[in-house]
Amino acid sequence: MLSMLERVHAIVLRLVKYNDKTRIADVLTREHGRMSFAVPDGAGKSKKSNARVVWRPLAVLEFEADLKSKGTLPRPRDVRVSYNYSDIPYNPLKTMVAMFVDELLCGAVWGELSDTLLFDFVLTSLKWLDEKEGRYANFHIAFSIRLLDFIGIEPNMEAFNENYFDLQASEYTDRQPLHQHFLSGEEASAVARFMKIGYLNMHRFHLNRHQRKRVLEVVNDYYMLHVPDFRRLKSIDVLTDALT
């Protein structure tokens, strides 16, 4: 039976060593959501020796694969880099921001369903960061908050008040929740303000190191409450120390 090759547009999320010759690439595809592929390790001296350069976290690729193959993971063919980063790999700060984005995506995005809006958002965001020359210290905050809309867990802002924001129920409330997952006072009010953050206005959010870390901790807690098996992001501490 002839294989049916399909063209795939993908953003690499992470790679796991399978054996001496193969790694498992976990990717976000435009056509089918999150998927896994078997790719060459590229450690030896061969025509595939550049595999580790091509298959790296957040690499933007195009390739062909038989997605209907049974029993084994599909193997990409005719792999091409569809976007070459010009600054992220060479800029230490942007590299750390990209590590945060990658870790967030690995924990928050699941499911083999086509979601072109999500894919396009991630790709556009990465290109924006790569091309931005300055004032991107709040990029990771804007990205993590904007991502909420695309994975369907954005909070309800209709009942805004300055009393409490229930992180678990994802809404404002006049009464203190009976659990510990809530914000009060100024922090509760700030939720509505930060829900308006985007790449074009993020430079207007003047935050010091402590404030930036607190925002990320709250966002992380929110993801943990609403995404199954989501864990605390290890890159928060590293990134907070780097971006003053």
PDB file of all heavy atoms in Angstrom, residues 164-185:
ATOM      1  N   TYR A 164     -12.427  40.755  45.363  1.00  0.00           N
ATOM      2  CA  TYR A 164     -11.724  39.483  45.204  1.00  0.00           C
ATOM      3  C   TYR A 164     -11.785  38.996  43.760  1.00  0.00           C
ATOM      4  O   TYR A 164     -12.785  39.198  43.067  1.00  0.00           O
ATOM      5  CB  TYR A 164     -12.346  38.406  46.102  1.00  0.00           C
ATOM      6  CG  TYR A 164     -12.355  38.758  47.566  1.00  0.00           C
ATOM      7  CD1 TYR A 164     -13.510  39.271  48.166  1.00  0.00           C
ATOM      8  CD2 TYR A 164     -11.219  38.585  48.365  1.00  0.00           C
ATOM      9  CE1 TYR A 164     -13.536  39.602  49.509  1.00  0.00           C
ATOM     10  CE2 TYR A 164     -11.243  38.919  49.704  1.00  0.00           C
ATOM     11  CZ  TYR A 164     -12.390  39.421  50.282  1.00  0.00           C
ATOM     12  OH  TYR A 164     -12.409  39.751  51.599  1.00  0.00           O
ATOM     13  N   PHE A 165     -10.694  38.338  43.347  1.00  0.00           N
ATOM     14  CA  PHE A 165     -10.727  37.597  42.093  1.00  0.00           C
ATOM     15  C   PHE A 165     -10.444  36.145  42.422  1.00  0.00           C
ATOM     16  O   PHE A 165      -9.391  35.801  42.967  1.00  0.00           O
ATOM     17  CB  PHE A 165      -9.698  38.115  41.087  1.00  0.00           C
ATOM     18  CG  PHE A 165      -9.766  37.378  39.782  1.00  0.00           C
ATOM     19  CD1 PHE A 165     -10.721  37.727  38.839  1.00  0.00           C
ATOM     20  CD2 PHE A 165      -8.922  36.312  39.511  1.00  0.00           C
ATOM     21  CE1 PHE A 165     -10.824  37.027  37.640  1.00  0.00           C
ATOM     22  CE2 PHE A 165      -9.012  35.609  38.322  1.00  0.00           C
ATOM     23  CZ  PHE A 165      -9.972  35.971  37.378  1.00  0.00           C
ATOM     24  N   ASP A 166     -11.395  35.294  42.107  1.00  0.00           N
ATOM     25  CA  ASP A 166     -11.310  33.866  42.396  1.00  0.00           C
ATOM     26  C   ASP A 166     -10.549  33.188  41.256  1.00  0.00           C
ATOM     27  O   ASP A 166     -11.065  33.028  40.155  1.00  0.00           O
ATOM     28  CB  ASP A 166     -12.730  33.300  42.522  1.00  0.00           C
ATOM     29  CG  ASP A 166     -12.744  31.855  43.016  1.00  0.00           C
ATOM     30  OD1 ASP A 166     -11.789  31.119  42.715  1.00  0.00           O
ATOM     31  OD2 ASP A 166     -13.717  31.472  43.679  1.00  0.00           O
ATOM     32  N   LEU A 167      -9.322  32.790  41.514  1.00  0.00           N
ATOM     33  CA  LEU A 167      -8.511  32.145  40.484  1.00  0.00           C
ATOM     34  C   LEU A 167      -9.065  30.784  40.088  1.00  0.00           C
ATOM     35  O   LEU A 167      -8.947  30.364  38.938  1.00  0.00           O
ATOM     36  CB  LEU A 167      -7.066  31.974  40.983  1.00  0.00           C
ATOM     37  CG  LEU A 167      -6.265  33.253  41.180  1.00  0.00           C
ATOM     38  CD1 LEU A 167      -4.978  32.955  41.948  1.00  0.00           C
ATOM     39  CD2 LEU A 167      -5.943  33.896  39.839  1.00  0.00           C
ATOM     40  N   GLN A 168      -9.686  30.119  41.010  1.00  0.00           N
ATOM     41  CA  GLN A 168     -10.228  28.789  40.742  1.00  0.00           C
ATOM     42  C   GLN A 168     -11.502  28.868  39.912  1.00  0.00           C
ATOM     43  O   GLN A 168     -11.673  28.114  38.946  1.00  0.00           O
ATOM     44  CB  GLN A 168     -10.504  28.062  42.063  1.00  0.00           C
ATOM     45  CG  GLN A 168     -10.962  26.625  41.918  1.00  0.00           C
ATOM     46  CD  GLN A 168     -10.937  25.890  43.246  1.00  0.00           C
ATOM     47  OE1 GLN A 168      -9.863  25.655  43.822  1.00  0.00           O
ATOM     48  NE2 GLN A 168     -12.102  25.556  43.769  1.00  0.00           N
ATOM     49  N   ALA A 169     -12.401  29.778  40.265  1.00  0.00           N
ATOM     50  CA  ALA A 169     -13.645  29.963  39.510  1.00  0.00           C
ATOM     51  C   ALA A 169     -13.436  30.858  38.292  1.00  0.00           C
ATOM     52  O   ALA A 169     -14.311  30.971  37.441  1.00  0.00           O
ATOM     53  CB  ALA A 169     -14.723  30.563  40.409  1.00  0.00           C
ATOM     54  N   SER A 170     -12.300  31.514  38.242  1.00  0.00           N
ATOM     55  CA  SER A 170     -11.922  32.363  37.119  1.00  0.00           C
ATOM     56  C   SER A 170     -12.867  33.547  36.942  1.00  0.00           C
ATOM     57  O   SER A 170     -13.268  33.887  35.827  1.00  0.00           O
ATOM     58  CB  SER A 170     -11.871  31.543  35.816  1.00  0.00           C
ATOM     59  OG  SER A 170     -11.303  32.279  34.772  1.00  0.00           O
ATOM     60  N   GLU A 171     -13.197  34.208  38.052  1.00  0.00           N
ATOM     61  CA  GLU A 171     -14.106  35.347  37.983  1.00  0.00           C
ATOM     62  C   GLU A 171     -14.000  36.194  39.242  1.00  0.00           C
ATOM     63  O   GLU A 171     -13.472  35.769  40.266  1.00  0.00           O
ATOM     64  CB  GLU A 171     -15.545  34.852  37.818  1.00  0.00           C
ATOM     65  CG  GLU A 171     -16.045  34.014  38.979  1.00  0.00           C
ATOM     66  CD  GLU A 171     -17.438  33.465  38.766  1.00  0.00           C
ATOM     67  OE1 GLU A 171     -17.966  33.641  37.659  1.00  0.00           O
ATOM     68  OE2 GLU A 171     -17.987  32.870  39.710  1.00  0.00           O
ATOM     69  N   TYR A 172     -14.516  37.425  39.127  1.00  0.00           N
ATOM     70  CA  TYR A 172     -14.567  38.322  40.282  1.00  0.00           C
ATOM     71  C   TYR A 172     -15.726  37.936  41.193  1.00  0.00           C
ATOM     72  O   TYR A 172     -16.748  37.408  40.738  1.00  0.00           O
ATOM     73  CB  TYR A 172     -14.743  39.766  39.819  1.00  0.00           C
ATOM     74  CG  TYR A 172     -13.455  40.411  39.350  1.00  0.00           C
ATOM     75  CD1 TYR A 172     -13.129  40.471  37.998  1.00  0.00           C
ATOM     76  CD2 TYR A 172     -12.561  40.961  40.270  1.00  0.00           C
ATOM     77  CE1 TYR A 172     -11.942  41.055  37.565  1.00  0.00           C
ATOM     78  CE2 TYR A 172     -11.377  41.549  39.853  1.00  0.00           C
ATOM     79  CZ  TYR A 172     -11.078  41.598  38.503  1.00  0.00           C
ATOM     80  OH  TYR A 172      -9.901  42.171  38.089  1.00  0.00           O
ATOM     81  N   THR A 173     -15.557  38.212  42.474  1.00  0.00           N
ATOM     82  CA  THR A 173     -16.614  37.925  43.440  1.00  0.00           C
ATOM     83  C   THR A 173     -16.577  38.954  44.567  1.00  0.00           C
ATOM     84  O   THR A 173     -15.524  39.510  44.879  1.00  0.00           O
ATOM     85  CB  THR A 173     -16.460  36.502  44.029  1.00  0.00           C
ATOM     86  OG1 THR A 173     -17.461  36.274  45.029  1.00  0.00           O
ATOM     87  CG2 THR A 173     -15.091  36.331  44.657  1.00  0.00           C
ATOM     88  N   ASP A 174     -17.728  39.227  45.160  1.00  0.00           N
ATOM     89  CA  ASP A 174     -17.817  40.184  46.265  1.00  0.00           C
ATOM     90  C   ASP A 174     -17.408  39.550  47.591  1.00  0.00           C
ATOM     91  O   ASP A 174     -17.080  40.262  48.546  1.00  0.00           O
ATOM     92  CB  ASP A 174     -19.244  40.724  46.390  1.00  0.00           C
ATOM     93  CG  ASP A 174     -19.615  41.622  45.217  1.00  0.00           C
ATOM     94  OD1 ASP A 174     -18.721  42.329  44.719  1.00  0.00           O
ATOM     95  OD2 ASP A 174     -20.783  41.615  44.809  1.00  0.00           O
ATOM     96  N   ARG A 175     -17.459  38.239  47.656  1.00  0.00           N
ATOM     97  CA  ARG A 175     -17.156  37.552  48.910  1.00  0.00           C
ATOM     98  C   ARG A 175     -15.860  36.767  48.798  1.00  0.00           C
ATOM     99  O   ARG A 175     -15.521  36.234  47.750  1.00  0.00           O
ATOM    100  CB  ARG A 175     -18.291  36.593  49.275  1.00  0.00           C
ATOM    101  CG  ARG A 175     -19.627  37.305  49.515  1.00  0.00           C
ATOM    102  CD  ARG A 175     -20.688  36.309  49.933  1.00  0.00           C
ATOM    103  NE  ARG A 175     -21.971  36.974  50.193  1.00  0.00           N
ATOM    104  CZ  ARG A 175     -23.066  36.342  50.597  1.00  0.00           C
ATOM    105  NH1 ARG A 175     -23.025  35.012  50.774  1.00  0.00           N
ATOM    106  NH2 ARG A 175     -24.180  37.016  50.807  1.00  0.00           N
ATOM    107  N   GLN A 176     -15.159  36.687  49.912  1.00  0.00           N
ATOM    108  CA  GLN A 176     -13.913  35.937  49.924  1.00  0.00           C
ATOM    109  C   GLN A 176     -14.199  34.455  49.684  1.00  0.00           C
ATOM    110  O   GLN A 176     -15.021  33.855  50.377  1.00  0.00           O
ATOM    111  CB  GLN A 176     -13.193  36.108  51.261  1.00  0.00           C
ATOM    112  CG  GLN A 176     -11.881  35.347  51.348  1.00  0.00           C
ATOM    113  CD  GLN A 176     -11.115  35.634  52.622  1.00  0.00           C
ATOM    114  OE1 GLN A 176     -11.110  36.781  53.102  1.00  0.00           O
ATOM    115  NE2 GLN A 176     -10.470  34.622  53.183  1.00  0.00           N
ATOM    116  N   PRO A 177     -13.523  33.844  48.715  1.00  0.00           N
ATOM    117  CA  PRO A 177     -13.723  32.410  48.449  1.00  0.00           C
ATOM    118  C   PRO A 177     -13.352  31.562  49.655  1.00  0.00           C
ATOM    119  O   PRO A 177     -12.561  31.979  50.511  1.00  0.00           O
ATOM    120  CB  PRO A 177     -12.786  32.143  47.268  1.00  0.00           C
ATOM    121  CG  PRO A 177     -12.637  33.473  46.600  1.00  0.00           C
ATOM    122  CD  PRO A 177     -12.647  34.479  47.726  1.00  0.00           C
ATOM    123  N   LEU A 178     -13.912  30.368  49.708  1.00  0.00           N
ATOM    124  CA  LEU A 178     -13.667  29.469  50.833  1.00  0.00           C
ATOM    125  C   LEU A 178     -12.373  28.681  50.670  1.00  0.00           C
ATOM    126  O   LEU A 178     -12.034  27.873  51.531  1.00  0.00           O
ATOM    127  CB  LEU A 178     -14.848  28.505  50.988  1.00  0.00           C
ATOM    128  CG  LEU A 178     -16.196  29.169  51.281  1.00  0.00           C
ATOM    129  CD1 LEU A 178     -17.292  28.117  51.369  1.00  0.00           C
ATOM    130  CD2 LEU A 178     -16.117  29.991  52.559  1.00  0.00           C
ATOM    131  N   HIS A 179     -11.668  28.910  49.564  1.00  0.00           N
ATOM    132  CA  HIS A 179     -10.381  28.251  49.335  1.00  0.00           C
ATOM    133  C   HIS A 179      -9.292  29.315  49.293  1.00  0.00           C
ATOM    134  O   HIS A 179      -9.556  30.509  49.457  1.00  0.00           O
ATOM    135  CB  HIS A 179     -10.415  27.460  48.021  1.00  0.00           C
ATOM    136  CG  HIS A 179     -10.866  28.280  46.854  1.00  0.00           C
ATOM    137  ND1 HIS A 179     -10.049  29.177  46.202  1.00  0.00           N
ATOM    138  CD2 HIS A 179     -12.079  28.359  46.215  1.00  0.00           C
ATOM    139  CE1 HIS A 179     -10.707  29.756  45.221  1.00  0.00           C
ATOM    140  NE2 HIS A 179     -11.944  29.289  45.207  1.00  0.00           N
ATOM    141  N   GLN A 180      -8.051  28.903  49.070  1.00  0.00           N
ATOM    142  CA  GLN A 180      -6.920  29.831  49.142  1.00  0.00           C
ATOM    143  C   GLN A 180      -6.516  30.425  47.799  1.00  0.00           C
ATOM    144  O   GLN A 180      -5.636  31.292  47.741  1.00  0.00           O
ATOM    145  CB  GLN A 180      -5.704  29.105  49.730  1.00  0.00           C
ATOM    146  CG  GLN A 180      -5.242  27.916  48.888  1.00  0.00           C
ATOM    147  CD  GLN A 180      -4.037  27.217  49.478  1.00  0.00           C
ATOM    148  OE1 GLN A 180      -3.353  27.761  50.335  1.00  0.00           O
ATOM    149  NE2 GLN A 180      -3.780  26.003  49.016  1.00  0.00           N
ATOM    150  N   HIS A 181      -7.167  30.004  46.730  1.00  0.00           N
ATOM    151  CA  HIS A 181      -6.750  30.441  45.396  1.00  0.00           C
ATOM    152  C   HIS A 181      -7.522  31.691  44.963  1.00  0.00           C
ATOM    153  O   HIS A 181      -8.435  31.627  44.146  1.00  0.00           O
ATOM    154  CB  HIS A 181      -6.955  29.311  44.386  1.00  0.00           C
ATOM    155  CG  HIS A 181      -6.278  28.037  44.763  1.00  0.00           C
ATOM    156  ND1 HIS A 181      -4.912  27.910  44.857  1.00  0.00           N
ATOM    157  CD2 HIS A 181      -6.803  26.816  45.086  1.00  0.00           C
ATOM    158  CE1 HIS A 181      -4.606  26.680  45.209  1.00  0.00           C
ATOM    159  NE2 HIS A 181      -5.725  25.997  45.359  1.00  0.00           N
ATOM    160  N   PHE A 182      -7.141  32.818  45.537  1.00  0.00           N
ATOM    161  CA  PHE A 182      -7.819  34.063  45.181  1.00  0.00           C
ATOM    162  C   PHE A 182      -6.877  35.242  45.381  1.00  0.00           C
ATOM    163  O   PHE A 182      -5.860  35.150  46.086  1.00  0.00           O
ATOM    164  CB  PHE A 182      -9.094  34.252  46.012  1.00  0.00           C
ATOM    165  CG  PHE A 182      -8.844  34.484  47.475  1.00  0.00           C
ATOM    166  CD1 PHE A 182      -8.643  35.765  47.975  1.00  0.00           C
ATOM    167  CD2 PHE A 182      -8.821  33.421  48.373  1.00  0.00           C
ATOM    168  CE1 PHE A 182      -8.406  35.992  49.329  1.00  0.00           C
ATOM    169  CE2 PHE A 182      -8.589  33.620  49.728  1.00  0.00           C
ATOM    170  CZ  PHE A 182      -8.383  34.913  50.203  1.00  0.00           C
ATOM    171  N   LEU A 183      -7.215  36.362  44.753  1.00  0.00           N
ATOM    172  CA  LEU A 183      -6.499  37.616  44.926  1.00  0.00           C
ATOM    173  C   LEU A 183      -7.452  38.626  45.535  1.00  0.00           C
ATOM    174  O   LEU A 183      -8.666  38.555  45.316  1.00  0.00           O
ATOM    175  CB  LEU A 183      -5.993  38.131  43.572  1.00  0.00           C
ATOM    176  CG  LEU A 183      -5.100  37.196  42.764  1.00  0.00           C
ATOM    177  CD1 LEU A 183      -4.810  37.800  41.402  1.00  0.00           C
ATOM    178  CD2 LEU A 183      -3.804  36.894  43.503  1.00  0.00           C
ATOM    179  N   SER A 184      -6.914  39.590  46.254  1.00  0.00           N
ATOM    180  CA  SER A 184      -7.770  40.601  46.879  1.00  0.00           C
ATOM    181  C   SER A 184      -7.168  41.990  46.707  1.00  0.00           C
ATOM    182  O   SER A 184      -5.988  42.147  46.397  1.00  0.00           O
ATOM    183  CB  SER A 184      -7.954  40.294  48.374  1.00  0.00           C
ATOM    184  OG  SER A 184      -6.703  40.309  49.052  1.00  0.00           O
ATOM    185  N   GLY A 185      -8.023  42.995  46.883  1.00  0.00           N
ATOM    186  CA  GLY A 185      -7.561  44.378  46.852  1.00  0.00           C
ATOM    187  C   GLY A 185      -6.900  44.777  45.543  1.00  0.00           C
ATOM    188  O   GLY A 185      -7.441  44.544  44.461  1.00  0.00           O
TER     189      GLY A 185
END
